[in-house]
Amino acid sequence: MATAKKASAPKAAAKKATSRKTGAKKSGASAKKSGTARKAPAKKAAPRKRAAKSRFGEAFLEKQRQALLAERRRYTEHAERYEAEAEQLVSERETGDVQFDEESGEGDSIAVERDRALQISAREREEIAEIDAALARIDNGTYGVCVVSGKPIPKERLEAIPHASMRVEVKSSGPVWRRP
């Protein structure tokens, strides 16, 4: 009998090795007995993006995020209002409605007003893009780091201008920092 057990032991070891190599799984009944049954992974809700760790605490980053979102809403309202004003000026304009007087100088005052409204709206949209970039920096953990020098932006500057992307000395140096 002892020889029979010795002979079956190598066969069992070979069978285990083969199942590991081929990726064969235990049948449901034997898996339940041994407690190795795998459950289907439960679908998880998509996790909310969390801010990556930075030198600032979570509370400061959340405060900045809320300030940026409020500022974004304000700029969006302004941009939409100026765009609507520009559209209204065009729709109310009558053919040949040109004003020539000392106050407006030569040209079409309605066209000038429309251009002014569109320029202000475009400037507001640029601010929105900067705010969106700041929100992205919060998400990827680079908020508060100068995009040019890589040095930390002082907390006081970020509190004053939440969408600041550069240190004061870099920003004030002018277009030099834009060189490749």
Side-chain angles (χ1 to χ4, degrees):
M1 285 293 266
T3 56
K5 283 186 180 178
K6 285 182 182 177
S8 64
K11 285 183 183 178
K15 191 174 183 179
K16 278 185 181 178
T18 305
S19 68
R20 279 189 215 141
K21 286 180 186 175
T22 61
K25 295 180 182 175
K26 293 183 178 183
S27 69
S30 64
K32 286 180 186 174
K33 285 181 186 177
S34 65
T36 60
R38 291 187 180 180
K39 294 181 182 178
K43 291 187 178 181
K44 294 180 182 178
R48 181 176 174 237
K49 279 188 174 181
R50 295 185 126 195
K53 289 188 179 183
S54 73
R55 63 189 176 101
F56 306 111
E58 289 285 329
F60 177 78
L61 290 177
E62 187 56 32
K63 179 182 139 199
Q64 293 300 97
R65 179 186 304 280
Q66 294 308 315
L68 286 164
L69 291 172
E71 200 170 343
R72 188 180 196 290
R73 282 189 296 275
R74 187 174 58 85
Y75 278 117
T76 301
E77 288 171 5
H78 288 173
E80 289 171 355
R81 185 175 67 224
Y82 281 109
E83 287 170 5
E85 181 182 317
E87 290 298 318
Q88 184 180 5
L89 286 169
V90 169
S91 67
E92 291 177 355
R93 180 180 177 174
E94 294 179 16
T95 322
D97 192 9
V98 179
Q99 181 178 350
F100 293 100
D101 61 14
E102 292 176 12
E103 187 177 299
S104 66
E106 286 188 35
D108 188 351
S109 64
I110 293 175
V112 171
E113 283 298 312
R114 179 180 175 274
D115 284 347
R116 180 180 106 15
L118 290 175
Q119 287 174 354
I120 292 171
S121 176
R123 205 172 7 192
E124 302 285 322
R125 296 284 180 195
E126 288 172 5
E127 290 292 323
I128 292 168
E130 287 185 28
I131 291 168
D132 289 342
L135 289 167
R137 287 192 300 275
I138 288 175
D139 288 340
N140 68 24
T142 60
Y143 184 75
V145 177
C146 179
V147 296
V148 177
S149 68
K151 294 179 181 177
I153 298 171
K155 190 174 187 177
E156 296 78 19
R157 176 164 169 74
L158 293 171
E159 288 172 333
I161 305 169
H163 60 276
S165 61
M166 290 181 265
R167 294 174 56 90
V168 172
E169 61 272 11
V170 174
K171 181 83 171 176
S172 65
S173 67
V176 174
W177 59 266
R178 291 186 182 173
R179 291 185 195 150

Short mmCIF file of all heavy atoms in Angstrom, two decimals, residues 61-90:
data_model
loop_
_atom_site.label_atom_id
_atom_site.label_comp_id
_atom_site.label_asym_id
_atom_site.label_seq_id
_atom_site.Cartn_x
_atom_site.Cartn_y
_atom_site.Cartn_z
N LEU A 61 -7.34 73.42 -0.14
CA LEU A 61 -7.62 73.12 -1.55
C LEU A 61 -9.12 73.18 -1.83
O LEU A 61 -9.54 73.68 -2.88
CB LEU A 61 -7.06 71.75 -1.93
CG LEU A 61 -5.54 71.66 -1.99
CD1 LEU A 61 -5.10 70.23 -2.29
CD2 LEU A 61 -4.98 72.62 -3.04
N GLU A 62 -9.93 72.70 -0.90
CA GLU A 62 -11.39 72.75 -1.10
C GLU A 62 -11.88 74.19 -1.07
O GLU A 62 -12.75 74.57 -1.86
CB GLU A 62 -12.11 71.90 -0.04
CG GLU A 62 -13.59 71.76 -0.28
CD GLU A 62 -13.96 71.18 -1.65
OE1 GLU A 62 -13.21 70.35 -2.20
OE2 GLU A 62 -15.03 71.58 -2.18
N LYS A 63 -11.32 75.00 -0.19
CA LYS A 63 -11.68 76.42 -0.12
C LYS A 63 -11.31 77.10 -1.44
O LYS A 63 -12.10 77.88 -1.99
CB LYS A 63 -10.93 77.08 1.04
CG LYS A 63 -11.20 78.55 1.20
CD LYS A 63 -10.38 79.12 2.36
CE LYS A 63 -9.84 80.45 1.94
NZ LYS A 63 -8.72 80.92 2.69
N GLN A 64 -10.15 76.79 -1.97
CA GLN A 64 -9.71 77.37 -3.24
C GLN A 64 -10.60 76.90 -4.39
O GLN A 64 -10.96 77.68 -5.27
CB GLN A 64 -8.25 77.03 -3.52
CG GLN A 64 -7.27 77.67 -2.56
CD GLN A 64 -7.34 79.18 -2.60
OE1 GLN A 64 -8.00 79.80 -1.78
NE2 GLN A 64 -6.66 79.78 -3.54
N ARG A 65 -10.96 75.62 -4.37
CA ARG A 65 -11.84 75.08 -5.41
C ARG A 65 -13.18 75.83 -5.41
O ARG A 65 -13.68 76.22 -6.47
CB ARG A 65 -12.08 73.58 -5.21
CG ARG A 65 -13.01 72.95 -6.25
CD ARG A 65 -13.34 71.51 -5.94
NE ARG A 65 -12.18 70.67 -5.80
CZ ARG A 65 -11.49 70.16 -6.82
NH1 ARG A 65 -11.86 70.42 -8.05
NH2 ARG A 65 -10.44 69.39 -6.61
N GLN A 66 -13.73 76.04 -4.23
CA GLN A 66 -15.02 76.75 -4.14
C GLN A 66 -14.88 78.20 -4.61
O GLN A 66 -15.76 78.72 -5.30
CB GLN A 66 -15.57 76.69 -2.71
CG GLN A 66 -15.96 75.29 -2.25
CD GLN A 66 -16.89 74.59 -3.22
OE1 GLN A 66 -17.85 75.16 -3.71
NE2 GLN A 66 -16.59 73.33 -3.51
N ALA A 67 -13.77 78.84 -4.25
CA ALA A 67 -13.54 80.22 -4.71
C ALA A 67 -13.40 80.26 -6.23
O ALA A 67 -13.95 81.16 -6.89
CB ALA A 67 -12.28 80.77 -4.04
N LEU A 68 -12.69 79.29 -6.79
CA LEU A 68 -12.52 79.24 -8.25
C LEU A 68 -13.85 78.99 -8.95
O LEU A 68 -14.15 79.61 -9.98
CB LEU A 68 -11.51 78.15 -8.62
CG LEU A 68 -10.05 78.48 -8.33
CD1 LEU A 68 -9.20 77.22 -8.35
CD2 LEU A 68 -9.53 79.50 -9.31
N LEU A 69 -14.67 78.11 -8.40
CA LEU A 69 -15.97 77.82 -9.02
C LEU A 69 -16.89 79.04 -8.96
O LEU A 69 -17.60 79.34 -9.93
CB LEU A 69 -16.63 76.61 -8.36
CG LEU A 69 -15.94 75.27 -8.63
CD1 LEU A 69 -16.55 74.18 -7.77
CD2 LEU A 69 -16.00 74.91 -10.11
N ALA A 70 -16.86 79.76 -7.85
CA ALA A 70 -17.67 80.98 -7.73
C ALA A 70 -17.19 82.04 -8.73
O ALA A 70 -17.99 82.70 -9.39
CB ALA A 70 -17.60 81.52 -6.31
N GLU A 71 -15.86 82.18 -8.83
CA GLU A 71 -15.30 83.13 -9.78
C GLU A 71 -15.63 82.74 -11.21
O GLU A 71 -15.95 83.59 -12.04
CB GLU A 71 -13.78 83.17 -9.58
CG GLU A 71 -13.12 84.40 -10.11
CD GLU A 71 -11.66 84.50 -9.69
OE1 GLU A 71 -11.23 83.81 -8.74
OE2 GLU A 71 -10.94 85.28 -10.32
N ARG A 72 -15.62 81.45 -11.50
CA ARG A 72 -15.96 80.96 -12.84
C ARG A 72 -17.40 81.30 -13.19
O ARG A 72 -17.71 81.72 -14.30
CB ARG A 72 -15.72 79.45 -12.92
CG ARG A 72 -15.87 78.90 -14.31
CD ARG A 72 -15.64 77.39 -14.34
NE ARG A 72 -15.40 76.92 -15.67
CZ ARG A 72 -16.32 76.85 -16.62
NH1 ARG A 72 -17.56 77.23 -16.40
NH2 ARG A 72 -16.02 76.39 -17.82
N ARG A 73 -18.31 81.09 -12.23
CA ARG A 73 -19.72 81.44 -12.47
C ARG A 73 -19.87 82.93 -12.78
O ARG A 73 -20.60 83.31 -13.69
CB ARG A 73 -20.58 81.06 -11.26
CG ARG A 73 -20.91 79.59 -11.16
CD ARG A 73 -21.93 79.30 -10.07
NE ARG A 73 -21.45 79.61 -8.73
CZ ARG A 73 -20.73 78.80 -7.98
NH1 ARG A 73 -20.42 77.60 -8.43
NH2 ARG A 73 -20.33 79.16 -6.78
N ARG A 74 -19.16 83.76 -12.02
CA ARG A 74 -19.25 85.20 -12.21
C ARG A 74 -18.74 85.60 -13.59
O ARG A 74 -19.39 86.36 -14.31
CB ARG A 74 -18.45 85.91 -11.11
CG ARG A 74 -18.62 87.42 -11.10
CD ARG A 74 -17.92 88.05 -9.90
NE ARG A 74 -16.51 87.76 -9.83
CZ ARG A 74 -15.56 88.45 -10.47
NH1 ARG A 74 -15.90 89.46 -11.23
NH2 ARG A 74 -14.30 88.13 -10.33
N TYR A 75 -17.59 85.08 -13.99
CA TYR A 75 -17.04 85.39 -15.30
C TYR A 75 -17.94 84.87 -16.42
O TYR A 75 -18.10 85.52 -17.45
CB TYR A 75 -15.63 84.81 -15.46
CG TYR A 75 -14.55 85.66 -14.85
CD1 TYR A 75 -13.79 85.19 -13.79
CD2 TYR A 75 -14.29 86.95 -15.31
CE1 TYR A 75 -12.80 85.97 -13.22
CE2 TYR A 75 -13.30 87.73 -14.75
CZ TYR A 75 -12.56 87.24 -13.71
OH TYR A 75 -11.58 88.02 -13.15
N THR A 76 -18.53 83.71 -16.23
CA THR A 76 -19.42 83.15 -17.25
C THR A 76 -20.65 84.05 -17.42
O THR A 76 -21.07 84.32 -18.55
CB THR A 76 -19.85 81.72 -16.87
OG1 THR A 76 -18.68 80.91 -16.74
CG2 THR A 76 -20.76 81.11 -17.91
N GLU A 77 -21.23 84.50 -16.31
CA GLU A 77 -22.38 85.41 -16.39
C GLU A 77 -22.01 86.69 -17.12
O GLU A 77 -22.77 87.16 -17.98
CB GLU A 77 -22.89 85.74 -14.98
CG GLU A 77 -23.59 84.59 -14.30
CD GLU A 77 -23.89 84.88 -12.83
OE1 GLU A 77 -23.63 86.03 -12.36
OE2 GLU A 77 -24.35 83.96 -12.14
N HIS A 78 -20.86 87.26 -16.82
CA HIS A 78 -20.42 88.50 -17.48
C HIS A 78 -20.22 88.27 -18.97
O HIS A 78 -20.66 89.08 -19.79
CB HIS A 78 -19.13 89.01 -16.87
CG HIS A 78 -19.30 89.59 -15.51
ND1 HIS A 78 -18.24 89.98 -14.74
CD2 HIS A 78 -20.40 89.84 -14.75
CE1 HIS A 78 -18.68 90.45 -13.59
NE2 HIS A 78 -19.97 90.36 -13.58
N ALA A 79 -19.53 87.19 -19.33
CA ALA A 79 -19.27 86.91 -20.74
C ALA A 79 -20.57 86.73 -21.51
O ALA A 79 -20.73 87.29 -22.61
CB ALA A 79 -18.40 85.65 -20.88
N GLU A 80 -21.51 86.00 -20.93
CA GLU A 80 -22.80 85.80 -21.61
C GLU A 80 -23.57 87.10 -21.73
O GLU A 80 -24.22 87.36 -22.75
CB GLU A 80 -23.61 84.75 -20.86
CG GLU A 80 -23.03 83.35 -21.02
CD GLU A 80 -23.69 82.32 -20.12
OE1 GLU A 80 -24.55 82.69 -19.27
OE2 GLU A 80 -23.33 81.13 -20.26
N ARG A 81 -23.49 87.95 -20.70
CA ARG A 81 -24.20 89.23 -20.74
C ARG A 81 -23.63 90.12 -21.85
O ARG A 81 -24.37 90.73 -22.62
CB ARG A 81 -24.12 89.94 -19.39
CG ARG A 81 -24.96 91.22 -19.37
CD ARG A 81 -25.00 91.88 -18.02
NE ARG A 81 -23.67 92.39 -17.69
CZ ARG A 81 -23.10 92.26 -16.50
NH1 ARG A 81 -23.72 91.65 -15.52
NH2 ARG A 81 -21.91 92.76 -16.28
N TYR A 82 -22.30 90.19 -21.97
CA TYR A 82 -21.69 91.02 -23.01
C TYR A 82 -21.94 90.45 -24.40
O TYR A 82 -22.12 91.21 -25.36
CB TYR A 82 -20.20 91.21 -22.75
CG TYR A 82 -19.94 92.25 -21.68
CD1 TYR A 82 -19.47 91.88 -20.43
CD2 TYR A 82 -20.19 93.60 -21.92
CE1 TYR A 82 -19.24 92.84 -19.45
CE2 TYR A 82 -19.98 94.54 -20.94
CZ TYR A 82 -19.51 94.16 -19.70
OH TYR A 82 -19.29 95.11 -18.74
N GLU A 83 -21.97 89.13 -24.54
CA GLU A 83 -22.29 88.53 -25.83
C GLU A 83 -23.73 88.86 -26.23
O GLU A 83 -24.02 89.18 -27.38
CB GLU A 83 -22.08 87.03 -25.79
CG GLU A 83 -20.61 86.64 -25.77
CD GLU A 83 -20.39 85.17 -25.49
OE1 GLU A 83 -21.36 84.38 -25.38
OE2 GLU A 83 -19.22 84.78 -25.35
N ALA A 84 -24.65 88.79 -25.25
CA ALA A 84 -26.05 89.13 -25.52
C ALA A 84 -26.18 90.60 -25.89
O ALA A 84 -26.97 90.96 -26.79
CB ALA A 84 -26.92 88.80 -24.31
N GLU A 85 -25.42 91.45 -25.23
CA GLU A 85 -25.44 92.89 -25.54
C GLU A 85 -24.98 93.13 -26.97
O GLU A 85 -25.58 93.92 -27.71
CB GLU A 85 -24.55 93.65 -24.57
CG GLU A 85 -24.52 95.14 -24.77
CD GLU A 85 -23.58 95.83 -23.80
OE1 GLU A 85 -23.58 95.48 -22.61
OE2 GLU A 85 -22.85 96.74 -24.26
N ALA A 86 -23.92 92.43 -27.39
CA ALA A 86 -23.41 92.57 -28.75
C ALA A 86 -24.45 92.10 -29.77
O ALA A 86 -24.67 92.76 -30.80
CB ALA A 86 -22.11 91.78 -28.92
N GLU A 87 -25.12 91.00 -29.47
CA GLU A 87 -26.17 90.50 -30.38
C GLU A 87 -27.34 91.48 -30.46
O GLU A 87 -27.91 91.70 -31.52
CB GLU A 87 -26.66 89.12 -29.91
CG GLU A 87 -25.64 88.02 -30.09
CD GLU A 87 -25.27 87.81 -31.55
OE1 GLU A 87 -26.17 87.82 -32.42
OE2 GLU A 87 -24.07 87.64 -31.82
N GLN A 88 -27.70 92.05 -29.32
CA GLN A 88 -28.80 93.00 -29.28
C GLN A 88 -28.46 94.25 -30.10
O GLN A 88 -29.31 94.77 -30.83
CB GLN A 88 -29.12 93.39 -27.84
CG GLN A 88 -30.31 94.31 -27.72
CD GLN A 88 -30.61 94.66 -26.27
OE1 GLN A 88 -29.86 94.29 -25.37
NE2 GLN A 88 -31.69 95.38 -26.06
N LEU A 89 -27.24 94.72 -30.01
CA LEU A 89 -26.83 95.89 -30.80
C LEU A 89 -26.95 95.62 -32.29
O LEU A 89 -27.37 96.48 -33.05
CB LEU A 89 -25.39 96.29 -30.45
CG LEU A 89 -25.20 96.96 -29.10
CD1 LEU A 89 -23.71 97.05 -28.75
CD2 LEU A 89 -25.82 98.34 -29.10
N VAL A 90 -26.60 94.42 -32.71
CA VAL A 90 -26.70 94.07 -34.12
C VAL A 90 -28.16 93.96 -34.55
O VAL A 90 -28.55 94.45 -35.60
CB VAL A 90 -25.95 92.75 -34.40
CG1 VAL A 90 -26.25 92.23 -35.79
CG2 VAL A 90 -24.46 92.93 -34.22
#
